[in-house]
Each structure stands twice: as structure tokens, then as C-alpha cells.
Amino acid sequence: MRIARFSVDDEPKYGIVETDDPEGLTGTVAVLDSDPLYRPVQFTGEQLQLADVRLLAPVIPRSKVVCVGRNYRAHAEELGNEVPTEPLIFFKPNTSVVGPRDGIVYPEQTNDLHFEGELAIVIGRICRDLPRERAEEVIFGYTIANDVTARDLQKSDGQWARAKGYDTFCPLGPWISTDLDVADLRVTTTLNGEPKQDGRTSQFIFDIPEVLAYITSFTTLLPGDVVLTGTPAGVGPMLPGDEVAVSVEGLGTLTNKVIVRD
């Protein structure tokens, strides 16, 4: 299933998407009576055209966004960093989350704002000390993320909270796919239509079961938490007015424009 969170007349709802459009600009959505992350799927009988709704971030993490840094060897090397010997974990606040077509605000404190396209995991069950062989049991589904980063602040601060944590620095969408084999998916990013990133999930240094086992060895993951799995090589700067699109094979495309705050 492709599960979307959307609004009609500013009222958030959930639905099951049927579309051939990777961004969900055309097609239909069958409306659900509640958030399927917390209750079984129940249809209201209402069906809407995707052209008539606004897609929102498919999940708003109740607790946290957990991210894996440098999980592609080529990305670590392109920034002159050592390849990690164990997962490198950091957090984004849930206030950084925005949805498809929402603006990424360019903060006045940075002069080097970068895109980082990624596959993201949506957690469906409470888990702590998770054995890697049980990882699939706690995954609700997958979505697409852009781990927006103020690269100059990342270097100057000595830690990543500010550089990764501004409002709008975690676009998610366009929906959650609950039935996806993620062993070898292509992950790409374009900037104003120009290809920038091109990698495959089979190139992860640490695969998803290992990542989830590592994270839950020190913190509890809750339903609705999101885990970003790392970005391929090719990250780079974006400026106000630029449009960045992250695509994951078999999942869809997440598109956002960089803006300045009014």
C-alpha cells in the first residue's frame, strides 16, 4: 500500500493512493477513517482526486528522526571523512519535518546549504535491543527524505544539531510504501532537473537490520519514529529558487523548492 497524509480545506486526513505518477500529482486517494499507523485500515468510502488534495509529510514523528551519517563509502570519501567502523548516528527534531512541495527555508546563518537524498524507514512498533533478524517486524514502511544540511555550520559547530535541525530541514514524502523490497533500490537526486546523486541501497555500509539493531541498543524507537539511512555521493549546494527532487526506485519522488523566509 501507498499511504498518504493529505489535507482538503486544511483538514489532515489519511488515504491509500493509486497513481502512476511518482509525485502523486495525478491519480486517486481512498480516504481512511484514521491514521493506519495506530489503527487497522478502515475506508470511509470517500475517494478523491489527488489533483484536488495537498499531500503532507506522510508521518509526523511523535518522538524523533534518527539519522545514519556516512553510510555510503563514496559519500564519506567525497567530504574527506573516514569511513565509519560502526553506524554514525545523529538526530533531527520532529519540527524539521515538512512535506512534498513545501519550501526548504534557507537560513540567514548559512552560506552553504546542501541537499542529501535518502531512503527513510517509518517505525511501526516500540522496539529496544532489537535483534537484526527481527528488524522487518518493526518496520511499518518506507518513504523518501532529504537530509538538508548547512554544511558550513556542520563544520564550524563541531556537532550537527544546528546544521541538521533547522525547521524545514527534513522533507518527507510523498507517501509511505508498506510493501517494498529495499535490498537494491536506486536513490537519485536532481537539482533543477540536473542529475546530482545516483546510488543504490545495496551500497550501504551498514544495512537496515544492522542500523536498527545499533540504534535500539541505546534508545527506544517508537511508532512513527523515522530513520534516515544515509545519502549517496554527489551532495552539493542549493540556493533560493532551486528545486530539488529525490527519487527512490519503486517508491516515488519527493520535490521541494528552496525559499527565503518572508
Side-chain angles (χ1 to χ4, degrees), residues 231-248:
T231 195
V235 300
M238 50 188 181
L239 296 170
D242 286 344
E243 185 174 82
V244 59
V246 182
S247 298
V248 174

Side-chain angles (χ1 to χ4, degrees), residues 4-18:
R5 180 171 165 266
F6 64 94
S7 66
V8 180
D9 298 326
D10 294 326
E11 181 184 354
K13 297 182 178 182
Y14 294 86
I16 305 299
V17 169
E18 292 289 341

